[in-house]
């Protein structure tokens, strides 16, 4: 891994190496590799505040998860703290239920929820001090808004006690600075039942959990809904289970026609794969249902790519009388599917067989199935293709919930970037050309406003132009960039960036149009005015160049480089004396400058 740059203005090569290191690390993690060498999680037991003992294996927490964050809460309301752990590797989130009471006594507990009145309502920053009878050392807890890396534990404060403990004093130091003692006679410790009920429960059902409101009020928390008794569990198997990934923000499948006319399933299969054989047989038997749903299937055999006899697969299809289209998969098709898969599925494992891609009628990827997919799943998803986008998003996850993020919009640049990352610049450029040739159709019905979709088109043009320049296809790159003069006529920063990029490639004429537009939008930018002058000079427009250099000099007086270029422009305009004056001014601003001295010697020559 590259080291983080120490200085804020680090050299570009240092920053590039650092970013490359993180990119390589992310790729390894995506392949299922370990972030820190399969280092097991560690758990330590506090021994009466004097030392810690390793209890990793005994607690069952020594998992090889590359864990990075942990949050505590009494998830099942049994009075014992449970854990939610965030990992770099799968499962990304793991729930660990505290079941220690099955083997040894966990004592009892008190849980306090605080509510501020003159302080902030969540009582963030409040400190609670609990004093037990016969114990000279008080227990202290603080309400925090964030208590760890990428984590936030429950704001309900948890105190664990011996079963014989009695409260002597409970003090809350509120964020406002005031301390308040609460009547401990109204607070009982010792959980009897923590399972919340709908409606008001008896006091016995709520013993051990109290709501303390600033001002002295003591009550029980108002349960608004019952917590789930079980956390979503991830399937654990040595063999990777079949997966379905529904795509939010559909993009075209590389190399596929713009309008297929109907939904199409592209299926990779092999005659040596038992799941493939079962899958194709099931689809054959359900031909009528599949065709009635309006779905077309194209089965692409990979036998020839792995060195297996092609005839075996052909014989199998003939034997079951396979009624749908079938062919041999090309290396380009498999590569395209792999790139799309790596773009949308974070775990970067090679595609298995069978793998299927569901395309909508516009040729956009709607779903990726790794492993066998049933007819019922296919028919359900085909019906889902035209459902409301919100419904589609809800169907993209395996369990219900509330969304905190905005829906993804279509972003073909991600697919192009995956091609680029694989060193396939030609394929990246071809993909963006495919998208831009039918952008209106590809973006139809997708998430995002018209303005957001326009931004997608603009960024695709920009990236395509960059790829074409890397491929040394400058004339085509210039034409692609030129489209942006109409698509983004008010984005000065964009056209400045494009113009300067073209200028560095010695493409002065195409650069000039972008720089002039940027100049009209950013008239107070001295560097922009200077570069526009350079582009004008490189385009043979010395008079125009002089005007931009003069403006740059007003914004940045006595700049030696601008004075030097003004001398070059004046020389081309046969204004020799003025050129000599500006050249001397450049040398005065930067003494002993070889380039200016050479120019002055040339101008002074008879």
């Amino acid at each position: 891994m590259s080291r983080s740059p120490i200085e804020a203005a680090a050299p570009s090569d240092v920053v590039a190496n650092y970013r490359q290191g993180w990119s390589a690390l992310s790729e390894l993690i995506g392949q299922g590799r370990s972030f820190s060498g399969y280092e097991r999680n560690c758990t330590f037991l506090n021994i009466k505040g004097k030392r810690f003992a390793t209890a990793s294996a005994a607690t069952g927490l020594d998992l090889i998860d590359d864990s990075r964050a942990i949050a505590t809460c009494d998830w099942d309301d049994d009075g014992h703290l449970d854990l939610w752990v965030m990992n770099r590797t799968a499962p990304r989130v793991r729930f660990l239920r505290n079941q220690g009471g099955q083997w040894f006594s966990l004592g009892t507990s008190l849980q306090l929820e605080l509510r501020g009145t003159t302080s902030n309502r969540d009582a963030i920053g409040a400190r609670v001090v609990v004093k037990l009878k016969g114990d000279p050392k008080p227990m202290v807890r603080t309400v925090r808004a964030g208590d760890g890396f990428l984590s936030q534990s429950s704001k309900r404060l948890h105190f664990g006690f011996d079963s014989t403990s009695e409260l002597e004093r409970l003090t809350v130091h509120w964020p406002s600075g005031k301390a308040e003692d609460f009547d401990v006679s109204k607070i009982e410790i010792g959980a009897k039942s923590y399972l919340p009920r709908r409606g008001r429960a008896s006091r016995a059902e709520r013993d051990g959990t109290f709501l303390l409101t600033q001002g002295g009020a003591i009550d029980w928390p108002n349960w608004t809904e019952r917590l789930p008794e079980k956390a979503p569990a991830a399937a654990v198997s040595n063999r990777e289970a079949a997966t379905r990934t529904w795509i939010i923000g559909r993009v075209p499948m590389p190399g596929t026609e713009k309008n297929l006319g109907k939904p199409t399933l592209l299926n990779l299969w092999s005659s040596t794969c038992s799941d493939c054989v079962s899958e194709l047989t099931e689809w054959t038997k359900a031909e009528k249902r599949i065709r009635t749903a309006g779905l077309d299937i194209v089965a692409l055999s990979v036998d020839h790519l792995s060195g297996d006899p092609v005839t075996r697969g052909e014989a199998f299809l003939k034997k079951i009388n396979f009624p749908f289209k079938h062919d041999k998969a090309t290396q380009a098709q498999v590569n395209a599917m792999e790139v799309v898969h790596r773009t949308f599925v974070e775990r970067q494992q090679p595609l298995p067989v069978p793998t299927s891609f569901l395309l909508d009628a516009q040729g956009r990827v709607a779903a990726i199935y790794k492993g066998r997919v049933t007819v019922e799943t296919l028919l359900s998803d085909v019906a889902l293709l035209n459902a409301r986008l919100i419904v589609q998003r809800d169907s993209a996850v395996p369990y219900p919930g509330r969304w905190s993020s905005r829906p993804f919009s279509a972003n073909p640049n991600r697919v192009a970037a995956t091609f680029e990352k694989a060193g396939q610049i030609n394929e990246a450029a071809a993909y963006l050309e495919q998208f831009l040739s039918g952008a209106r159709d590809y973006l139809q019905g997708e998430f995002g406003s018209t303005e957001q979709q326009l931004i997608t088109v603009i960024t695709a043009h920009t990236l395509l132009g960059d790829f074409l320049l890397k491929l040394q296809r400058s004339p085509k790159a210039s034409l692609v960039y030129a489209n942006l003069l109409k698509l983004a006529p008010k984005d000065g920063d964009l056209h400045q960036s494009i113009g300067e990029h073209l200028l560095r490639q010695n493409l002065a004429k195409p650069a000039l149009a972008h720089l002039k537009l940027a100049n009209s939008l950013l008239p107070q930018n001295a560097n922009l005015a200077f570069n526009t002058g350079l582009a004008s000079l490189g385009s043979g427009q010395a008079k125009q160049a002089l005007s931009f250099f003069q403006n740059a000099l007003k914004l940045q007086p006595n700049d030696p480089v601008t004075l030097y270029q003004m001398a070059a422009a004046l020389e081309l305009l046969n204004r020799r004396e003025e050129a000599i004056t500006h050249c001397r001014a450049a040398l005065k601003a930067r003494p002993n400058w070889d380039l200016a001295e050479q120019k002055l010697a040339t101008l002074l020559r008879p």
Side-chain angles (χ1 to χ4, degrees), residues 22-249:
W22 270 110
S23 178
L25 180 61
S26 297
E27 186 172 350
L28 289 174
I29 292 172
Q31 294 171 1
R33 309 278 188 92
S34 171
F35 187 91
S36 53
Y38 298 104
E39 177 185 13
R40 289 186 176 274
N41 294 337
C42 297
T43 311
F44 299 96
L45 185 65
N46 189 337
I47 309 297
K48 296 183 178 181
K50 297 180 180 179
R51 63 189 180 87
F52 289 91
T54 301
S56 306
T59 58
L61 298 177
D62 57 339
L63 302 163
I64 308 178
D65 279 355
D66 276 351
S67 300
R68 286 296 174 269
I70 190 168
T72 61
C73 69
D74 185 5
W75 182 259
D76 52 4
D77 293 291
D78 64 354
H80 309 140
L81 285 179
D82 306 301
L83 303 177
W84 282 98
V85 185
M86 194 284 292
N87 308 305
R88 287 304 301 257
T89 50
R92 278 301 180 88
V93 179
R94 187 190 286 275
F95 173 65
L96 299 170
R97 186 178 182 184
N98 187 346
Q99 296 178 303
Q102 296 181 11
W103 299 283
F104 53 87
S105 173
L106 292 180
T108 186
S109 66
L110 170 67
Q111 297 192 79
L112 301 176
E113 187 174 313
L114 273 58
R115 180 176 297 165
T117 53
T118 57
S119 298
N120 67 83
R121 181 178 173 82
D122 287 338
I124 303 300
R127 182 166 49 90
V128 178
V129 180
V130 171
K131 176 73 169 59
L132 299 178
K133 290 181 181 180
D135 191 342
K137 196 172 184 179
M139 302 177 71
V140 183
R141 301 284 187 273
T142 303
V143 182
R144 305 179 187 278
D147 56 1
F149 177 66
L150 296 177
S151 63
Q152 165 63 60
S153 294
S154 170
K155 293 195 293 291
R156 185 172 294 171
L157 302 179
H158 184 280
F159 296 84
F161 306 115
D162 182 89
S163 58
T164 61
S165 300
E166 292 183 53
L167 288 177
E168 180 179 302
R169 186 175 182 179
L170 192 156
T171 305
V172 177
H173 296 265
W174 296 99
S176 59
K178 295 182 179 180
E180 182 178 12
D181 287 327
F182 282 80
D183 186 355
V184 295
S185 66
K186 297 180 180 180
I187 299 175
E188 300 175 14
I189 60 177
K192 295 180 180 179
S193 172
Y194 289 89
L195 290 178
R197 305 286 193 270
R198 294 194 178 276
R200 188 170 178 81
S202 68
R203 181 167 181 165
E205 290 173 331
R206 297 257 175 101
D207 281 351
T209 303
F210 295 88
L211 171 65
L212 307 183
T213 302
Q214 191 173 9
I218 301 175
D219 203 343
W220 298 283
N222 180 26
W223 300 93
T224 56
E225 61 182 46
R226 182 164 182 160
L227 294 174
E229 295 181 1
K230 292 183 178 180
V236 179
S237 172
N238 292 328
R239 180 180 178 184
E240 186 174 342
T243 62
R244 165 191 177 271
T245 303
W246 189 264
I247 307 298
I248 302 300

Side-chain angles (χ1 to χ4, degrees), residues 485-557:
L485 296 169
K486 293 183 178 179
L487 289 171
K490 296 182 180 179
D491 193 336
D493 292 330
L494 172 66
H495 289 289
Q496 179 182 359
S497 175
I498 292 173
E500 291 174 351
H501 189 28
L502 289 168
L503 195 59
R504 285 192 292 270
Q505 302 291 324
N506 295 319
L507 300 169
K509 285 186 177 181
L512 183 57
H514 296 279
L515 293 172
K516 286 179 70 175
L517 177 56
N519 243 289
S520 66
L521 299 168
L522 306 169
Q524 300 303 312
N525 188 320
N527 288 333
L528 176 57
F530 174 79
N531 285 325
T532 311
L534 280 183
S536 300
L537 204 60
S539 302
Q541 302 181 44
K543 187 175 181 180
Q544 179 176 275
L546 186 61
S547 174
F548 283 110
F549 288 142
Q550 288 170 338
N551 186 43
L553 208 55
K554 289 177 184 177
L555 297 169
Q556 196 171 323

